[in-house]
Amino acid sequence: MRIARCWTTWHRSSRFLRRWAPNTDDLDDLCQETLMTLHRARHTYDPTRPLDPWVFAIARHVATDKLRRRLTRLSRELPVETLPEVASAEDARDEHPLEDVLARLSPQQRQAFECLKIQGLSVEESARREGTSAGALKVRAHRASVAIKEMLKG
């Protein structure tokens, strides 16, 4: 009986949420977000009180928050009549690509940065590969990061 009551309440609340959702994807998102919020707030429910007002209040708050986020996003978007030009590969080379910046580093710094940041190796594995200590490798990678930031600043 209790499960049937919860299902009926949820079905009515999903119909309630349909008013707030312009399309089916938004409705699915609202329902999912409402279920997650109900799950997180389940400790606040008092079983001596009716279930429907509690569920509907949470559904209303979720829908209001989603509408508020959508309106905020829309207020920041600027419609344009023509799309901006897509940058070409040649334009990207003119803007300090990573290869150019890495080429200006010392070989030790470049190797440390590439092993840790680009290849994603662990500090220990990179240190073994480079034939140095883990501490020295960390220092090289940090100095490389600082140098890269400075070079990209101009």
Side-chain angles (χ1 to χ4, degrees):
M1 177 66 182
R2 188 174 200 168
I3 292 175
R5 174 83 176 129
C6 288
W7 176 252
T8 304
T9 299
W10 175 247
H11 182 66
R12 288 193 336 209
S13 67
S14 65
R15 283 189 313 190
F16 167 77
L17 287 171
R18 196 169 292 141
R19 289 188 304 169
W20 297 81
N23 60 41
T24 318
D25 293 337
D26 288 342
L27 178 62
D28 292 343
D29 290 346
L30 273 176
C31 289
Q32 181 70 25
E33 203 168 326
T34 302
L35 280 174
M36 293 301 296
T37 305
L38 285 169
H39 178 69
R40 284 191 298 266
R42 68 186 183 278
H43 68 280
T44 64
Y45 175 64
D46 180 8
T48 61
R49 304 193 60 183
L51 178 66
D52 290 1
W54 183 73
V55 170
F56 278 89
I58 289 176
R60 188 183 73 244
H61 286 291
V62 167
T64 304
D65 288 344
K66 184 156 181 88
L67 179 64
R68 191 174 296 131
R69 284 192 306 267
R70 182 185 306 134
L71 291 175
T72 301
R73 187 185 72 241
L74 290 175
S75 70
R76 292 181 182 153
E77 291 179 356
L78 298 173
V80 293
E81 292 189 24
T82 59
L83 294 176
E85 275 187 36
V86 178
S88 67
E90 292 171 6
D91 292 338
R93 279 191 203 127
D94 296 338
E95 297 179 1
H96 304 297
L98 186 59
E99 294 86 23
D100 292 345
V101 174
L102 288 176
R104 289 192 263 166
L105 294 174
S106 71
Q108 294 87 5
Q109 288 179 347
R110 184 177 58 248
Q111 287 291 357
F113 185 82
E114 285 177 352
C115 287
L116 292 176
K117 304 299 181 184
I118 296 175
Q119 296 174 6
L121 301 176
S122 68
V123 173
E124 292 78 20
E125 186 177 348
S126 300
R128 274 196 309 271
R129 191 181 272 189
E130 295 300 313
T132 186
S133 69
L137 188 81
K138 286 181 185 179
V139 169
R140 289 178 188 170
H142 175 71
R143 289 181 179 163
S145 296
V146 170
I148 289 170
K149 286 178 188 174
E150 289 299 317
M151 283 186 248
L152 291 176
K153 281 184 183 176

mmCIF file of all heavy atoms in Angstrom, residues 53-91:
data_model
loop_
_atom_site.group_PDB
_atom_site.id
_atom_site.type_symbol
_atom_site.label_atom_id
_atom_site.label_comp_id
_atom_site.label_asym_id
_atom_site.label_seq_id
_atom_site.Cartn_x
_atom_site.Cartn_y
_atom_site.Cartn_z
ATOM 1 N N PRO A 53 2.368 17.127 0.132
ATOM 2 C CA PRO A 53 2.879 18.506 0.206
ATOM 3 C C PRO A 53 4.404 18.568 0.279
ATOM 4 O O PRO A 53 5.024 19.462 -0.297
ATOM 5 C CB PRO A 53 2.256 19.066 1.489
ATOM 6 C CG PRO A 53 1.075 18.219 1.745
ATOM 7 C CD PRO A 53 1.407 16.862 1.205
ATOM 8 N N TRP A 54 5.010 17.607 0.959
ATOM 9 C CA TRP A 54 6.468 17.569 1.075
ATOM 10 C C TRP A 54 7.105 17.344 -0.298
ATOM 11 O O TRP A 54 8.024 18.050 -0.697
ATOM 12 C CB TRP A 54 6.859 16.469 2.065
ATOM 13 C CG TRP A 54 8.327 16.357 2.328
ATOM 14 C CD1 TRP A 54 9.098 17.213 3.057
ATOM 15 C CD2 TRP A 54 9.187 15.326 1.864
ATOM 16 N NE1 TRP A 54 10.396 16.774 3.075
ATOM 17 C CE2 TRP A 54 10.485 15.608 2.353
ATOM 18 C CE3 TRP A 54 8.999 14.184 1.094
ATOM 19 C CZ2 TRP A 54 11.570 14.800 2.093
ATOM 20 C CZ3 TRP A 54 10.085 13.371 0.845
ATOM 21 C CH2 TRP A 54 11.354 13.673 1.328
ATOM 22 N N VAL A 55 6.593 16.360 -1.050
ATOM 23 C CA VAL A 55 7.127 16.053 -2.384
ATOM 24 C C VAL A 55 6.898 17.221 -3.335
ATOM 25 O O VAL A 55 7.787 17.624 -4.079
ATOM 26 C CB VAL A 55 6.496 14.757 -2.942
ATOM 27 C CG1 VAL A 55 6.858 14.552 -4.404
ATOM 28 C CG2 VAL A 55 6.929 13.558 -2.115
ATOM 29 N N PHE A 56 5.703 17.800 -3.312
ATOM 30 C CA PHE A 56 5.399 18.908 -4.213
ATOM 31 C C PHE A 56 6.229 20.150 -3.893
ATOM 32 O O PHE A 56 6.618 20.891 -4.793
ATOM 33 C CB PHE A 56 3.903 19.243 -4.186
ATOM 34 C CG PHE A 56 3.090 18.355 -5.070
ATOM 35 C CD1 PHE A 56 2.564 17.167 -4.591
ATOM 36 C CD2 PHE A 56 2.873 18.680 -6.394
ATOM 37 C CE1 PHE A 56 1.824 16.339 -5.406
ATOM 38 C CE2 PHE A 56 2.137 17.865 -7.214
ATOM 39 C CZ PHE A 56 1.614 16.687 -6.725
ATOM 40 N N ALA A 57 6.499 20.385 -2.620
ATOM 41 C CA ALA A 57 7.330 21.536 -2.253
ATOM 42 C C ALA A 57 8.748 21.357 -2.792
ATOM 43 O O ALA A 57 9.332 22.297 -3.355
ATOM 44 C CB ALA A 57 7.357 21.701 -0.734
ATOM 45 N N ILE A 58 9.282 20.165 -2.666
ATOM 46 C CA ILE A 58 10.625 19.907 -3.189
ATOM 47 C C ILE A 58 10.625 20.029 -4.710
ATOM 48 O O ILE A 58 11.522 20.628 -5.308
ATOM 49 C CB ILE A 58 11.138 18.536 -2.711
ATOM 50 C CG1 ILE A 58 11.440 18.617 -1.218
ATOM 51 C CG2 ILE A 58 12.369 18.102 -3.504
ATOM 52 C CD1 ILE A 58 11.857 17.326 -0.578
ATOM 53 N N ALA A 59 9.603 19.468 -5.374
ATOM 54 C CA ALA A 59 9.511 19.555 -6.834
ATOM 55 C C ALA A 59 9.415 21.016 -7.279
ATOM 56 O O ALA A 59 10.055 21.419 -8.264
ATOM 57 C CB ALA A 59 8.311 18.759 -7.333
ATOM 58 N N ARG A 60 8.640 21.815 -6.560
ATOM 59 C CA ARG A 60 8.507 23.226 -6.908
ATOM 60 C C ARG A 60 9.834 23.966 -6.747
ATOM 61 O O ARG A 60 10.227 24.761 -7.604
ATOM 62 C CB ARG A 60 7.435 23.881 -6.045
ATOM 63 C CG ARG A 60 7.116 25.315 -6.482
ATOM 64 C CD ARG A 60 6.103 25.994 -5.584
ATOM 65 N NE ARG A 60 6.731 26.331 -4.313
ATOM 66 C CZ ARG A 60 6.388 25.817 -3.129
ATOM 67 N NH1 ARG A 60 5.409 24.953 -3.040
ATOM 68 N NH2 ARG A 60 7.017 26.162 -2.035
ATOM 69 N N HIS A 61 10.559 23.671 -5.673
ATOM 70 C CA HIS A 61 11.855 24.323 -5.460
ATOM 71 C C HIS A 61 12.865 23.930 -6.539
ATOM 72 O O HIS A 61 13.609 24.781 -7.036
ATOM 73 C CB HIS A 61 12.416 23.979 -4.073
ATOM 74 C CG HIS A 61 11.714 24.680 -2.958
ATOM 75 N ND1 HIS A 61 11.811 26.029 -2.757
ATOM 76 C CD2 HIS A 61 10.893 24.218 -1.990
ATOM 77 C CE1 HIS A 61 11.079 26.378 -1.709
ATOM 78 N NE2 HIS A 61 10.509 25.287 -1.223
ATOM 79 N N VAL A 62 12.879 22.655 -6.910
ATOM 80 C CA VAL A 62 13.794 22.203 -7.963
ATOM 81 C C VAL A 62 13.455 22.885 -9.283
ATOM 82 O O VAL A 62 14.334 23.370 -9.997
ATOM 83 C CB VAL A 62 13.745 20.664 -8.095
ATOM 84 C CG1 VAL A 62 14.433 20.198 -9.364
ATOM 85 C CG2 VAL A 62 14.382 20.008 -6.879
ATOM 86 N N ALA A 63 12.170 22.935 -9.612
ATOM 87 C CA ALA A 63 11.750 23.560 -10.864
ATOM 88 C C ALA A 63 12.068 25.056 -10.868
ATOM 89 O O ALA A 63 12.520 25.602 -11.883
ATOM 90 C CB ALA A 63 10.260 23.332 -11.083
ATOM 91 N N THR A 64 11.849 25.720 -9.755
ATOM 92 C CA THR A 64 12.148 27.148 -9.657
ATOM 93 C C THR A 64 13.642 27.400 -9.820
ATOM 94 O O THR A 64 14.048 28.325 -10.527
ATOM 95 C CB THR A 64 11.663 27.704 -8.304
ATOM 96 O OG1 THR A 64 10.273 27.438 -8.162
ATOM 97 C CG2 THR A 64 11.908 29.186 -8.187
ATOM 98 N N ASP A 65 14.463 26.572 -9.179
ATOM 99 C CA ASP A 65 15.908 26.729 -9.309
ATOM 100 C C ASP A 65 16.359 26.522 -10.746
ATOM 101 O O ASP A 65 17.202 27.261 -11.257
ATOM 102 C CB ASP A 65 16.645 25.744 -8.400
ATOM 103 C CG ASP A 65 16.539 26.123 -6.933
ATOM 104 O OD1 ASP A 65 16.160 27.280 -6.644
ATOM 105 O OD2 ASP A 65 16.834 25.263 -6.078
ATOM 106 N N LYS A 66 15.790 25.524 -11.412
ATOM 107 C CA LYS A 66 16.174 25.257 -12.802
ATOM 108 C C LYS A 66 15.751 26.423 -13.702
ATOM 109 O O LYS A 66 16.510 26.847 -14.573
ATOM 110 C CB LYS A 66 15.559 23.964 -13.287
ATOM 111 C CG LYS A 66 16.011 23.595 -14.682
ATOM 112 C CD LYS A 66 15.886 22.122 -14.929
ATOM 113 C CE LYS A 66 16.340 21.737 -16.294
ATOM 114 N NZ LYS A 66 17.741 21.442 -16.375
ATOM 115 N N LEU A 67 14.560 26.949 -13.489
ATOM 116 C CA LEU A 67 14.092 28.092 -14.273
ATOM 117 C C LEU A 67 14.975 29.313 -14.022
ATOM 118 O O LEU A 67 15.344 30.027 -14.953
ATOM 119 C CB LEU A 67 12.637 28.407 -13.928
ATOM 120 C CG LEU A 67 12.021 29.588 -14.651
ATOM 121 C CD1 LEU A 67 11.954 29.320 -16.150
ATOM 122 C CD2 LEU A 67 10.626 29.864 -14.114
ATOM 123 N N ARG A 68 15.351 29.527 -12.783
ATOM 124 C CA ARG A 68 16.212 30.660 -12.442
ATOM 125 C C ARG A 68 17.573 30.523 -13.125
ATOM 126 O O ARG A 68 18.111 31.485 -13.663
ATOM 127 C CB ARG A 68 16.377 30.722 -10.922
ATOM 128 C CG ARG A 68 17.011 31.991 -10.427
ATOM 129 C CD ARG A 68 17.028 32.069 -8.917
ATOM 130 N NE ARG A 68 15.673 32.115 -8.390
ATOM 131 C CZ ARG A 68 15.225 31.346 -7.396
ATOM 132 N NH1 ARG A 68 16.011 30.473 -6.826
ATOM 133 N NH2 ARG A 68 13.988 31.453 -6.966
ATOM 134 N N ARG A 69 18.144 29.310 -13.129
ATOM 135 C CA ARG A 69 19.428 29.087 -13.809
ATOM 136 C C ARG A 69 19.296 29.317 -15.315
ATOM 137 O O ARG A 69 20.180 29.907 -15.942
ATOM 138 C CB ARG A 69 19.936 27.669 -13.542
ATOM 139 C CG ARG A 69 20.527 27.481 -12.154
ATOM 140 C CD ARG A 69 21.262 26.168 -12.036
ATOM 141 N NE ARG A 69 20.481 25.016 -12.409
ATOM 142 C CZ ARG A 69 19.774 24.266 -11.571
ATOM 143 N NH1 ARG A 69 19.745 24.560 -10.285
ATOM 144 N NH2 ARG A 69 19.102 23.214 -12.004
ATOM 145 N N ARG A 70 18.181 28.859 -15.903
ATOM 146 C CA ARG A 70 17.982 29.040 -17.339
ATOM 147 C C ARG A 70 17.871 30.517 -17.679
ATOM 148 O O ARG A 70 18.456 30.999 -18.648
ATOM 149 C CB ARG A 70 16.735 28.298 -17.814
ATOM 150 C CG ARG A 70 16.536 28.435 -19.329
ATOM 151 C CD ARG A 70 15.262 27.825 -19.834
ATOM 152 N NE ARG A 70 15.112 26.454 -19.440
ATOM 153 C CZ ARG A 70 13.983 25.937 -18.930
ATOM 154 N NH1 ARG A 70 12.920 26.687 -18.780
ATOM 155 N NH2 ARG A 70 13.921 24.682 -18.596
ATOM 156 N N LEU A 71 17.113 31.266 -16.887
ATOM 157 C CA LEU A 71 16.962 32.697 -17.151
ATOM 158 C C LEU A 71 18.292 33.440 -16.980
ATOM 159 O O LEU A 71 18.596 34.358 -17.740
ATOM 160 C CB LEU A 71 15.891 33.289 -16.239
ATOM 161 C CG LEU A 71 14.461 32.842 -16.532
ATOM 162 C CD1 LEU A 71 13.498 33.404 -15.494
ATOM 163 C CD2 LEU A 71 14.038 33.239 -17.929
ATOM 164 N N THR A 72 19.080 33.044 -16.006
ATOM 165 C CA THR A 72 20.390 33.669 -15.817
ATOM 166 C C THR A 72 21.279 33.402 -17.016
ATOM 167 O O THR A 72 21.961 34.299 -17.525
ATOM 168 C CB THR A 72 21.060 33.131 -14.540
ATOM 169 O OG1 THR A 72 20.216 33.404 -13.425
ATOM 170 C CG2 THR A 72 22.414 33.762 -14.323
ATOM 171 N N ARG A 73 21.273 32.157 -17.501
ATOM 172 C CA ARG A 73 22.091 31.810 -18.664
ATOM 173 C C ARG A 73 21.625 32.578 -19.895
ATOM 174 O O ARG A 73 22.430 33.123 -20.643
ATOM 175 C CB ARG A 73 22.024 30.306 -18.929
ATOM 176 C CG ARG A 73 22.978 29.862 -20.018
ATOM 177 C CD ARG A 73 22.838 28.394 -20.369
ATOM 178 N NE ARG A 73 21.609 28.186 -21.092
ATOM 179 C CZ ARG A 73 20.607 27.406 -20.694
ATOM 180 N NH1 ARG A 73 20.679 26.756 -19.564
ATOM 181 N NH2 ARG A 73 19.518 27.268 -21.422
ATOM 182 N N LEU A 74 20.314 32.658 -20.095
ATOM 183 C CA LEU A 74 19.787 33.369 -21.257
ATOM 184 C C LEU A 74 20.082 34.862 -21.185
ATOM 185 O O LEU A 74 20.278 35.513 -22.213
ATOM 186 C CB LEU A 74 18.289 33.134 -21.401
ATOM 187 C CG LEU A 74 17.871 31.728 -21.827
ATOM 188 C CD1 LEU A 74 16.350 31.593 -21.801
ATOM 189 C CD2 LEU A 74 18.420 31.393 -23.198
ATOM 190 N N SER A 75 20.107 35.426 -19.988
ATOM 191 C CA SER A 75 20.394 36.852 -19.868
ATOM 192 C C SER A 75 21.849 37.156 -20.206
ATOM 193 O O SER A 75 22.175 38.272 -20.590
ATOM 194 C CB SER A 75 20.077 37.348 -18.459
ATOM 195 O OG SER A 75 21.009 36.834 -17.525
ATOM 196 N N ARG A 76 22.727 36.167 -20.090
ATOM 197 C CA ARG A 76 24.140 36.376 -20.398
ATOM 198 C C ARG A 76 24.468 36.096 -21.859
ATOM 199 O O ARG A 76 25.509 36.519 -22.340
ATOM 200 C CB ARG A 76 25.002 35.483 -19.515
ATOM 201 C CG ARG A 76 24.953 35.886 -18.069
ATOM 202 C CD ARG A 76 25.826 35.010 -17.241
ATOM 203 N NE ARG A 76 25.731 35.391 -15.841
ATOM 204 C CZ ARG A 76 25.937 34.576 -14.842
ATOM 205 N NH1 ARG A 76 26.280 33.340 -15.077
ATOM 206 N NH2 ARG A 76 25.815 34.993 -13.611
ATOM 207 N N GLU A 77 23.618 35.360 -22.542
ATOM 208 C CA GLU A 77 23.876 35.046 -23.946
ATOM 209 C C GLU A 77 23.499 36.240 -24.813
ATOM 210 O O GLU A 77 22.479 36.880 -24.598
ATOM 211 C CB GLU A 77 23.064 33.824 -24.372
ATOM 212 C CG GLU A 77 23.531 32.537 -23.741
ATOM 213 C CD GLU A 77 22.690 31.347 -24.164
ATOM 214 O OE1 GLU A 77 21.691 31.533 -24.887
ATOM 215 O OE2 GLU A 77 23.039 30.238 -23.764
ATOM 216 N N LEU A 78 24.321 36.492 -25.780
ATOM 217 C CA LEU A 78 24.073 37.590 -26.698
ATOM 218 C C LEU A 78 23.808 37.024 -28.090
ATOM 219 O O LEU A 78 24.679 36.370 -28.662
ATOM 220 C CB LEU A 78 25.273 38.530 -26.757
ATOM 221 C CG LEU A 78 25.641 39.228 -25.459
ATOM 222 C CD1 LEU A 78 26.944 39.989 -25.628
ATOM 223 C CD2 LEU A 78 24.529 40.159 -25.037
ATOM 224 N N PRO A 79 22.637 37.279 -28.635
ATOM 225 C CA PRO A 79 22.387 36.784 -29.994
ATOM 226 C C PRO A 79 23.214 37.589 -30.994
ATOM 227 O O PRO A 79 23.370 38.801 -30.869
ATOM 228 C CB PRO A 79 20.891 37.023 -30.188
ATOM 229 C CG PRO A 79 20.513 38.042 -29.177
ATOM 230 C CD PRO A 79 21.487 37.939 -28.051
ATOM 231 N N VAL A 80 23.741 36.902 -32.000
ATOM 232 C CA VAL A 80 24.532 37.565 -33.033
ATOM 233 C C VAL A 80 23.923 37.250 -34.387
ATOM 234 O O VAL A 80 23.328 36.204 -34.590
ATOM 235 C CB VAL A 80 26.011 37.105 -33.001
ATOM 236 C CG1 VAL A 80 26.687 37.562 -31.733
ATOM 237 C CG2 VAL A 80 26.125 35.616 -33.156
ATOM 238 N N GLU A 81 24.083 38.186 -35.291
ATOM 239 C CA GLU A 81 23.521 37.985 -36.627
ATOM 240 C C GLU A 81 24.428 37.128 -37.495
ATOM 241 O O GLU A 81 23.961 36.358 -38.313
ATOM 242 C CB GLU A 81 23.248 39.336 -37.282
ATOM 243 C CG GLU A 81 22.126 40.081 -36.582
ATOM 244 C CD GLU A 81 21.712 41.317 -37.346
ATOM 245 O OE1 GLU A 81 21.936 41.356 -38.570
ATOM 246 O OE2 GLU A 81 21.166 42.219 -36.711
ATOM 247 N N THR A 82 25.741 37.282 -37.333
ATOM 248 C CA THR A 82 26.678 36.459 -38.105
ATOM 249 C C THR A 82 27.577 35.722 -37.131
ATOM 250 O O THR A 82 27.982 36.271 -36.099
ATOM 251 C CB THR A 82 27.542 37.319 -39.037
ATOM 252 O OG1 THR A 82 28.261 38.265 -38.248
ATOM 253 C CG2 THR A 82 26.687 38.034 -40.060
ATOM 254 N N LEU A 83 27.906 34.506 -37.479
ATOM 255 C CA LEU A 83 28.775 33.705 -36.627
ATOM 256 C C LEU A 83 30.206 34.186 -36.745
ATOM 257 O O LEU A 83 30.642 34.624 -37.817
ATOM 258 C CB LEU A 83 28.687 32.238 -37.035
ATOM 259 C CG LEU A 83 27.334 31.578 -36.789
ATOM 260 C CD1 LEU A 83 27.347 30.153 -37.321
ATOM 261 C CD2 LEU A 83 26.998 31.583 -35.322
ATOM 262 N N PRO A 84 30.984 34.098 -35.682
ATOM 263 C CA PRO A 84 32.381 34.524 -35.760
ATOM 264 C C PRO A 84 33.182 33.558 -36.626
ATOM 265 O O PRO A 84 32.800 32.410 -36.830
ATOM 266 C CB PRO A 84 32.848 34.470 -34.306
ATOM 267 C CG PRO A 84 31.893 33.587 -33.620
ATOM 268 C CD PRO A 84 30.602 33.670 -34.358
ATOM 269 N N GLU A 85 34.310 34.055 -37.132
ATOM 270 C CA GLU A 85 35.172 33.229 -37.969
ATOM 271 C C GLU A 85 35.789 32.126 -37.128
ATOM 272 O O GLU A 85 36.132 32.325 -35.970
ATOM 273 C CB GLU A 85 36.308 34.065 -38.542
ATOM 274 C CG GLU A 85 35.965 34.794 -39.795
ATOM 275 C CD GLU A 85 37.203 35.452 -40.388
ATOM 276 O OE1 GLU A 85 38.298 34.867 -40.293
ATOM 277 O OE2 GLU A 85 37.045 36.547 -40.924
ATOM 278 N N VAL A 86 35.952 30.980 -37.756
ATOM 279 C CA VAL A 86 36.613 29.868 -37.097
ATOM 280 C C VAL A 86 38.111 30.046 -37.289
ATOM 281 O O VAL A 86 38.574 30.327 -38.398
ATOM 282 C CB VAL A 86 36.143 28.522 -37.699
ATOM 283 C CG1 VAL A 86 36.866 27.366 -37.056
ATOM 284 C CG2 VAL A 86 34.644 28.385 -37.545
ATOM 285 N N ALA A 87 38.856 29.891 -36.208
ATOM 286 C CA ALA A 87 40.301 30.066 -36.288
ATOM 287 C C ALA A 87 40.921 28.942 -37.099
ATOM 288 O O ALA A 87 40.553 27.781 -36.956
ATOM 289 C CB ALA A 87 40.903 30.089 -34.893
ATOM 290 N N SER A 88 41.857 29.283 -37.938
ATOM 291 C CA SER A 88 42.547 28.279 -38.743
ATOM 292 C C SER A 88 43.773 27.788 -37.990
ATOM 293 O O SER A 88 44.195 28.360 -36.985
ATOM 294 C CB SER A 88 42.954 28.865 -40.087
ATOM 295 O OG SER A 88 43.939 29.859 -39.888
ATOM 296 N N ALA A 89 44.382 26.735 -38.492
ATOM 297 C CA ALA A 89 45.580 26.179 -37.866
ATOM 298 C C ALA A 89 46.728 27.182 -37.915
ATOM 299 O O ALA A 89 47.549 27.247 -37.003
ATOM 300 C CB ALA A 89 45.965 24.877 -38.548
ATOM 301 N N GLU A 90 46.795 27.976 -38.975
ATOM 302 C CA GLU A 90 47.856 28.977 -39.082
ATOM 303 C C GLU A 90 47.695 30.058 -38.023
ATOM 304 O O GLU A 90 48.675 30.537 -37.453
ATOM 305 C CB GLU A 90 47.844 29.597 -40.470
ATOM 306 C CG GLU A 90 48.245 28.630 -41.557
ATOM 307 C CD GLU A 90 48.027 29.201 -42.947
ATOM 308 O OE1 GLU A 90 47.665 30.390 -43.038
ATOM 309 O OE2 GLU A 90 48.214 28.454 -43.907
ATOM 310 N N ASP A 91 46.445 30.450 -37.740
ATOM 311 C CA ASP A 91 46.213 31.452 -36.700
ATOM 312 C C ASP A 91 46.635 30.913 -35.340
ATOM 313 O O ASP A 91 47.158 31.653 -34.515
ATOM 314 C CB ASP A 91 44.741 31.847 -36.649
ATOM 315 C CG ASP A 91 44.303 32.609 -37.891
ATOM 316 O OD1 ASP A 91 45.189 33.187 -38.564
ATOM 317 O OD2 ASP A 91 43.096 32.622 -38.169
#
